[in-house]
Each structure stands twice: as C-alpha cells, then as structure tokens.
Amino acid sequence: MKLWGGRFIDKESKLMEDFNSSLSFDKRLYYEDIIGSIAHVKMLSKCSILTNDESITIVNGLNSILSDIQEGKLIIEGDYEDIHSFMEIQLTKLVGDVGKKLHTARSRNDQVAVDMRLYSKRKAGEVIDNLDDILNTIIKLGNDNAFIMPGYTHMQRAQVVTFKQHIMAYYNMLSRDKKRLLSASEIMDENPLGCCALAGTTYDTDRGFTTTELGFKKPVDNFMDGVSDRDYLLELLSGFSIIMMHLSRLSEEFILWSTKEFDFIEISDQFSTGSSIMPQKRNPDAAELIRGKTGRVYGDLMGLLTTMKGIPLAYNKDMQEDKEPFFDAVDTVLSCIKVMNEMLRSLKVKKDNMRAAVKRGFLNATEAADYLVKNGMAFRDAHAVIGTIVIHCEKKHTAIEDLTLVELKGFSELFNEDVYEFIDYENTLSRGIKKEM
Ligand code: ARG
C-alpha cells in the first residue's frame, strides 16, 4: 500500500518493495509521527487551509490511532513503505476521505526530519537522566570507599591515590558527556517542519505555530538544509561513542581489578556469570560486554558518517539509513549505563588488598626524593639517590620506610628521623590531594 503510484504504469517489483520498506524499524517513530501530524493539521486549520471541522476530525482520528497503538489494539505491520504511509492509510481508513488532506503542504522529507529530531531529542534526554543516576552512584561509591590504593601510570605502580579519587575521575568524564549531550540537544532544537520536499510550499503556512506546538526553539533557517541535515544524529552518536569509551575504560579496570592477581574489587554475583566447565569460575561478563559493545556504537557512528559523506542536496533515500544505527546506538548506550550503574551499586571494594598493594610498590619514592630536595639536594641528584635505594630494597625485599636511619644515611647524610613521617603514605597522599580539591 502506497502514497504514490499515479505516474507509474508497471507494478513495483516485490523485491524493490521489500528493499525500500523501512516500516520494520521506523515504526518506533509512531509517537513523534502522530504528534508532528497533529501540530501540522492544527496549523493548516489556523491558516484556513483546512476547515476547523476537517482538522478536528483528523486530530481525533490521529489520537485514536495513537491510543490503539499504545493499547496494543493496532499493530504496526504490513506491506507499507514506512511509518508515514502506514499512518496516512490508517487515518483514511478510520476517518474517510478527509484523511487524504493530512499531507497538504507537507512532504515525507520534512515529516521524517521532524520525527527524527523529536525522537532523538527525547532519547538524548533519557540518556542524560541515566547519566545523572550513575553520577550519583559514583559519588556515593567514592565517599564510602575513600581508602588508599596504588595509582598507576604505564600500568606500573606510581604514587598513592584513593579509590575515591580514582572513581571520581570517571565522574568527571561522564559529567563532560552530559554537557556534550546537552549542547547537541541545544544545537538541534530547530523545527524542519514546513520545509516540505526542499523548497517550501506555495500555501501560506505558519512555521512559527508548529515550532511552538512541538516545543522547538525556532524554525530552521534554510529549507534544503532543514530536510537533509543529519548533523544532530552524528553529534549524538559521537557523544554516545565517547560515553561508551569511558564506560569501556572503567570496565577494563574492573576486569583487571577483579582478577586474583589484583583482587582489589569483587563484582557482585548479580553481574557475574559462571563457566559451563570450570566450576570455580566467576566471570566479569557485564564489564566485558560493555567493553565489547563500545565497538558496535563506534561502528554506528562511522556507518552514518560514511553514509552522509557523499550525499548532494537535498533529501536522498540514502538518509533512510540514519535510523538503524541511531536506534542501535541509543539502545546500547542506555543499557550499558544502566548495567554499569547497577554494577557500581553492588561493587565490593577490598580495602585491605589495596592498602597491601600500596606497601609493595615504592609508591613513596617520589616523595622520598622530595624529602632530600627539601634538605638541600638538587632534584635530579635526589632522583638518582632514591633510585639506588630502590635497587637496594628490591634485593632485600623491603620498602624504603622499613630501612633504618643508619641504612638511609649510608645513601645520603641528608636523611633524618623526620623522613619516616614525610614519606608515610597517608601523609604523602594528603599533601598531594590538597591541591586537587
Ligand atoms: N522512509 C523515509 C526515510 O526514512 C521517509 C522519507 C521518504 N521520502 C521520500 N521522498 N521518499 O528517509
């Protein structure tokens, strides 16, 4: 069932019909399609292009289709080209010939553009709400676990940090992600309805009216751009990709930290899985899946960037390919944030193991050098002296703070009794962290 056909003599090939149809995936735009149509019809009546009665009949028809879909009485399926064709044909079945007036002064090009803007704006809001939830979880997890742990560079123990400091780094990453989505939502907040196919319409329409009805900030400035702009999807996909990159880095740390080699955390049973052969296994599948799904969201972004790169103005059917990657990415990012949030809420941090690891990594070597500098040595010389002490300690399987003062003085006369307090892990930590807050 089609909205066009008048100028064709032969029937469309079944192969082409199936190839062309987007209903199986664009059916998820049904809500936005209906509210977009309602705003359009109200505008047509306000501008005396439709009569008040016609507009009431159409609006009531559209509202009844909406409730039938929501109540499961009307299933979106069949051999329709897309959600827009499905709606118009359903409407005409329901209200009769007046339904055929719905598409006056409109094209599917501006219709699909407005549907996608409304849908993606709503979904961006949902992602932002979920980011708010995980941000709150991170603050609580950090405050409950402000214990010392080794901080790493090059995956080698470097200096003392706290678990709170470490996890709050992710708070900062995800806060920037939220700002990115807010900014994309702000930039996309323009109404393309009224651009029609590409050149507007000869009817005296009111784009300001539909803009207010649909809650956009302003109408788009240029019709050809309005129907063919998909930048907002790319911006959101890029924002989603960066969120996934952040969640993937955190997942990677959790996977490492939950190994017996690290043993810094325990991921709860709720978010772990077992092995079908090895009875002892507890696998961090949730974290691995988040890490894995990151590639898929990057793929969605790359796919749409590539689709868009060669398209001349204005609308071309290539653009129908914007939907599946966007839908896939938004579903994926939402489920990953939710799973990560719950995994964080049920995470056990192993305070004692982290503290023991701090003791084993010369994490106060930098501060020991700073101590010698404080007592008059140049930093480069102090660096060399402490390096020699580290070799000595490695041979003796001991730590800098466990050497006696006599032993230390053997390396430099500048060591005194107060060195032990200076290189104490908690003290070095609090002196360093003070500048961060
Ligand atoms: N299903 C189409 C899409 O998603 C709707 C617009 C079709 N417009 C057209 N002139 N064929 O892009």
Side-chain angles (χ1 to χ4, degrees), residues 112-212:
V112 75
V114 80
D115 289 5
M116 276 306 271
R117 286 218 196 206
L118 290 169
Y119 179 83
S120 54
K121 204 168 107 176
R122 172 162 69 85
K123 292 306 259 189
E126 208 177 310
V127 176
I128 290 168
D129 289 346
N130 277 274
L131 284 176
D132 280 334
D133 290 344
I134 196 169
L135 287 170
N136 286 331
T137 304
I138 291 175
I139 293 181
K140 176 156 188 346
L141 185 66
N143 285 338
D144 291 348
N145 297 283
F147 315 126
I148 62 168
M149 70 176 289
Y152 295 81
T153 64
H154 312 268
M155 283 296 291
Q156 304 288 325
R157 287 179 199 161
Q159 286 181 295
V160 186
V161 296
T162 62
F163 179 82
K164 178 179 176 183
Q165 234 184 325
H166 197 120
I167 199 77
M168 285 303 282
Y170 288 95
Y171 178 91
N172 279 268
M173 296 178 216
L174 295 169
S175 301
R176 289 195 296 276
D177 291 334
K178 177 179 162 180
K179 284 193 207 156
R180 264 184 278 275
L181 297 189
L182 286 170
S183 150
S185 307
E186 162 92 20
I187 295 173
M188 73 152 85
D189 203 5
E190 297 186 357
N191 178 20
L193 192 59
C195 299
C196 298
L198 78 164
T201 172
T202 50
Y203 291 98
D204 200 6
T205 53
D206 182 349
R207 292 197 296 137
F209 179 89
T210 55
T211 298
T212 314

Side-chain angles (χ1 to χ4, degrees), residues 237-252 286-302 328-329 332-333 335-336 340:
L237 284 171
S238 146
F240 296 163
S241 297
I242 300 175
I243 294 175
M244 291 302 298
M245 180 267 287
H246 291 148
L247 295 181
S248 182
R249 292 179 70 181
L250 183 56
S251 296
E252 171 65 15
E288 288 171 61
L289 274 172
I290 293 172
R291 191 177 57 182
K293 285 175 190 287
T294 303
R296 161 181 184 152
V297 174
Y298 291 1
D300 292 329
L301 169 64
M302 285 315 296
D328 179 68
T332 307
V333 80
S335 68
C336 290
M340 180 58 89

Side-chain angles (χ1 to χ4, degrees), residues 49 66 80 87 95 138 168 171 217 253 261 328 350:
I49 300 164
L66 178 61
Y80 301 91
M87 286 299 173
V95 301
I138 291 175
M168 285 303 282
Y171 178 91
K217 206 171 53 191
E253 303 216 85
E261 286 71 12
D328 179 68
K350 299 187 172 176

Side-chain angles (χ1 to χ4, degrees), residues 73-133:
K73 289 190 209 148
L74 177 62
I75 308 295
I76 308 173
E77 60 186 11
D79 57 352
Y80 301 91
E81 190 177 322
D82 51 29
I83 187 67
H84 326 296
S85 316
F86 175 86
M87 286 299 173
E88 190 177 316
I89 293 163
Q90 291 305 318
L91 179 72
T92 307
K93 267 193 216 158
L94 190 69
V95 301
D97 277 352
V98 66
K100 296 183 185 168
K101 296 193 175 190
L102 168 66
H103 213 52
T104 315
R106 186 176 69 171
S107 157
R108 275 183 298 162
N109 299 351
D110 59 341
Q111 186 177 359
V112 75
V114 80
D115 289 5
M116 276 306 271
R117 286 218 196 206
L118 290 169
Y119 179 83
S120 54
K121 204 168 107 176
R122 172 162 69 85
K123 292 306 259 189
E126 208 177 310
V127 176
I128 290 168
D129 289 346
N130 277 274
L131 284 176
D132 280 334
D133 290 344

